[in-house]
Amino acid sequence: MDLRLTAKEKRFREEVRDFIATNLPEDIRSHLRAGHPPTKDHIVRWHRILNTRGWATAHWPKEWGGAGLSPVERMILTEEIFLAPAPTPLVFNSSMIGPVIIQFGSEEQKRQFLPKIANLDIWFCQGFSEPDAGSDLASLRTLARRDGDHYVVTGQKIWTTMAHHADWMFCLVRTDPAAKKQVGISMLLIDMKTPGVTVRPIMSIDGHHHLNEVFLDEVRVPVENRVGEENKGWDYAKFLLGHERTGIAGVGRSKERLSYARELATQVKAGKRPLAEDPCFREQLALIEADLKALEITQLRVVAGHAGHHADKPDPLTSVLKVRGTELYQAVCELACRSAGPAAIAIQPAGGAADELDAAPRWGAALAPSYFYSRAASIYGGSNEIQKNILAKTVLGL
């Protein structure tokens, strides 16, 4: 297998770099470079800028606003966005519910939702996890009772990322409680303004509000908002999660953080010399760089082999990318955090304005929250333990 980029793919990388250099607002770039999570305004603004080129939904068919990029071109685009650094297109819209509606939605759903999803005119969140149904998602208990032309939904979702920003939720509900747990599940699109929907914040260890509980109390959802067939939601969820994991290796994200750690190490002293000259630091840096290169090659092998894979089934090898990608991202964040030393536990100023943090050692205040949040990467998107089970069964045949 030839893993070298073609001349066309190299030209595409240059085109992406030029576009980002010209169009990425500096306030967004500097905010992310300092290690802060993007705000809603950052995500919406950048998503819409990308959408002017069809790059917010780069893998969608052109008829629905995408760019029809190949898997390799999409990988290049994602890597350059991470390296900028810039926010990635909203994954719930572009990589999760969008492809599901394209594949399984009704024509009316495609006309109603896809243009707004592509331009982030509406923001979707994911209503999958429940208090007793996270990694064991099939145990979900949120019920949807049919009442004429509506479903009446009652239950609770948890760890719902950015539900406080969302206009809509794609939600798994149990429509046949008597069926075995993987059967009898349907997928509904729920307007978050519907009476009976309550969002309550969960503050995470990094001190930011990313997560929520969502309570559904007798929420009436029109039947036409069901995606695909009734009781087939488990199949659609597997399709959706396969798309989510494709980009989760985050090679570009780890490269950007590694670059930042290297930059910080030139500013920090280890004794009388810059930390960048410390043998232990250099050894850790080299080990991560080598592992990251190996992951990048593995990602290329998976992406290059994508054409022969069934489009309606997730590739189990994406689990390799998910597990190793999150482990390396956490290692990079830990290295950057160690670079700051005691400055990493400094109190972050209210609002965390990037210009306040650029002057050493204030930049350190953003590193510990960034490191803490990186720990969540091995949980969201299907925990690493679950991914290892998938690999054991589908790749190793155990």
Side-chain angles (χ1 to χ4, degrees):
M1 181 180 291
D2 188 351
L3 298 178
R4 291 172 296 185
L5 297 182
T6 65
K8 180 186 175 187
E9 289 163 347
K10 290 177 181 176
R11 287 196 298 273
F12 179 72
R13 186 185 288 280
E14 291 304 315
E15 179 185 350
V16 172
R17 282 182 181 171
D18 290 345
F19 180 85
I20 292 176
T22 305
N23 293 282
L24 176 62
E26 177 55 28
D27 65 308
I28 298 178
R29 193 205 68 81
S30 60
H31 184 87
L32 268 63
R33 182 65 171 168
H36 302 292
T39 66
K40 179 180 181 180
D41 171 68
H42 293 159
I43 295 170
V44 172
R45 266 196 288 155
W46 181 237
H47 187 112
R48 289 176 178 168
I49 290 170
L50 288 174
N51 195 44
T52 61
R53 298 289 293 267
W55 288 349
T57 53
H59 55 302
W60 290 18
K62 290 184 178 179
E63 69 172 304
W64 294 115
L69 296 187
S70 69
V72 174
E73 289 172 330
R74 185 187 173 198
M75 181 200 69
I76 292 170
L77 174 64
T78 302
E79 183 167 305
E80 291 300 323
I81 289 172
F82 274 129
L83 286 170
T88 54
L90 186 67
V91 63
F92 306 110
N93 278 33
S94 60
S95 296
M96 298 175 80
I97 191 58
V100 170
I101 290 177
I102 290 172
Q103 187 79 7
F104 304 107
S106 66
E107 290 304 312
E108 176 56 31
Q109 287 171 347
K110 292 175 184 176
R111 286 192 294 272
Q112 177 185 353
F113 288 107
L114 292 179
K116 295 177 182 176
I117 289 173
N119 199 47
L120 199 41
D121 294 330
I122 55 174
W123 181 305
F124 266 93
C125 64
Q126 180 190 49
F128 280 16
S129 295
E130 298 185 6
D132 294 316
S135 295
D136 183 16
L137 182 58
S139 295
L140 66 88
R141 292 184 298 183
T142 294
L143 286 177
R145 170 175 52 84
R146 185 74 178 260
D147 181 21
D149 295 333
H150 287 75
Y151 290 101
V152 181
V153 182
T154 299
Q156 180 189 353
K157 298 294 176 179
I158 198 167
W159 314 124
T160 314
T161 305
M162 293 191 275
H164 53 300
H165 295 326
D167 305 295
W168 287 77
M169 169 192 283
F170 51 92
C171 187
L172 291 181
V173 296
R174 190 163 296 284
T175 41
D176 184 358
K180 74 173 188 178
K181 62 182 187 179
Q182 282 86 359
V183 184
I185 293 173
S186 299
M187 181 180 289
L188 300 181
L189 307 179
I190 300 177
D191 187 334
M192 297 293 280
K193 294 189 293 297
T194 310
V197 177
T198 302
V199 178
R200 194 163 70 186
I202 300 173
M203 297 303 292
S204 51
I205 193 171
D206 64 347
H208 291 286
H209 177 194
H210 308 278
L211 306 167
N212 302 272
E213 294 175 287
V214 179
F215 297 90
L216 304 162
D217 183 14
E218 299 282 309
V219 177
R220 295 186 67 82
V221 181
V223 171
E224 62 259 31
N225 285 3
R226 185 190 70 224
V227 178
E229 299 179 47
E230 187 173 86
N231 299 329
K232 295 290 186 182
W234 185 250
D235 294 336
Y236 311 147
K238 287 193 295 182
F239 174 90
L240 179 152
L241 291 172
H243 277 261
E244 179 193 23
R245 288 168 194 151
T246 300
I248 211 162
V251 171
R253 175 182 60 177
S254 293
K255 281 185 176 178
E256 190 278 330
R257 285 295 84 188
L258 199 62
S259 163
Y260 189 53
R262 194 183 292 110
E263 176 185 319
L264 295 180
T266 65
Q267 303 174 23
V268 177
K269 297 287 187 183
K272 295 183 179 180
R273 301 166 62 186
L275 179 62
E277 298 179 10
D278 179 81
C280 291
F281 179 85
R282 290 167 66 89
E283 180 183 3
Q284 288 180 309
L285 195 68
L287 286 172
I288 294 174
E289 284 178 328
D291 286 341
L292 197 54
K293 189 64 180 177
L295 177 66
E296 185 177 15
I297 292 171
T298 304
Q299 178 179 254
L300 277 167
R301 290 177 59 197
V302 172
V303 171
H306 186 81
H309 191 74
H310 295 293
D312 60 340
K313 294 181 180 179
D315 185 346
L317 288 178
T318 59
S319 295
V320 174
L321 304 181
K322 201 279 180 179
V323 172
R324 199 65 188 122
T326 53
E327 289 174 347
L328 283 176
Y329 178 59
Q330 290 164 354
V332 173
C333 289
E334 182 177 355
L335 184 66
C337 200
R338 287 185 174 183
S339 301
I345 58 172
I347 302 298
Q348 184 173 312
D355 58 351
E356 296 179 47
L357 298 172
D358 282 345
R362 301 296 296 272
W363 47 259
L367 294 178
S370 178
Y371 165 73
F372 291 142
Y373 192 68
S374 76
R375 312 309 298 176
S378 50
I379 301 173
Y380 60 64
S383 71
N384 282 12
E385 286 78 7
I386 293 296
Q387 303 309 314
K388 290 174 182 176
N389 281 341
I390 292 172
L391 290 169
K393 292 178 181 177
T394 61
V395 178
L396 301 178
L398 299 177

